[in-house]
């Protein structure tokens, strides 16, 4: 039986320890992806709790405004630091 890339179980696992550059880069990427999906999942949970379609859209606008305001703050602080 031949193996397909990505098939489980892995016959030759990749070492993802932080001792090598590839492993560290992989762990960093996975951490960024996990943070993104956890945050997006929290926003979705909030939207799903809204009682009506209009409330969902209003909540989405609040999230959008809050995220944009936060991005402006961070960009401003980076501009001052740099």
């Amino acid at each position: 039986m031949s193996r397909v890339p990505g098939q489980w179980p892995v016959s030759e696992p990749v070492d993802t320890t932080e001792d090598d550059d590839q492993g560290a880069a992989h762990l960093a990427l996975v951490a960024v992806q996990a943070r993104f999906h956890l945050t997006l999942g929290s926003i979705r949970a909030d939207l799903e709790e809204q009682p009506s379609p209009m409330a969902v859209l209003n909540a989405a606008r609040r999230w959008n405004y809050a995220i944009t305001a936060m991005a402006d703050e961070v960009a401003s602080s980076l501009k001052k630091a740099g």
Side-chain angles (χ1 to χ4, degrees):
M1 178 170 114
S2 65
R3 292 261 180 217
V4 176
Q7 187 174 3
W8 187 260
V10 177
S11 57
E12 296 178 27
V14 175
D15 183 17
T16 58
T17 63
E18 293 188 39
D19 295 340
D20 67 350
D21 291 338
Q22 185 178 4
H26 175 73
L27 291 177
L29 175 63
V30 169
V32 167
Q33 290 174 338
R35 183 172 45 239
F36 177 83
H37 288 289
L38 284 171
T39 304
L40 201 57
S42 295
I43 293 171
R44 183 181 183 99
D46 179 63
L47 296 176
E48 289 176 346
E49 292 175 350
Q50 301 306 313
S52 69
M54 187 56 72
V56 171
L57 295 175
N58 287 332
R61 287 184 189 98
R62 285 191 304 274
W63 278 109
N64 187 5
Y65 176 78
I67 292 167
T68 303
M70 189 180 351
D72 288 342
E73 277 181 38
V74 172
S76 177
S77 68
L78 291 174
K79 192 183 293 185
K80 289 176 185 176

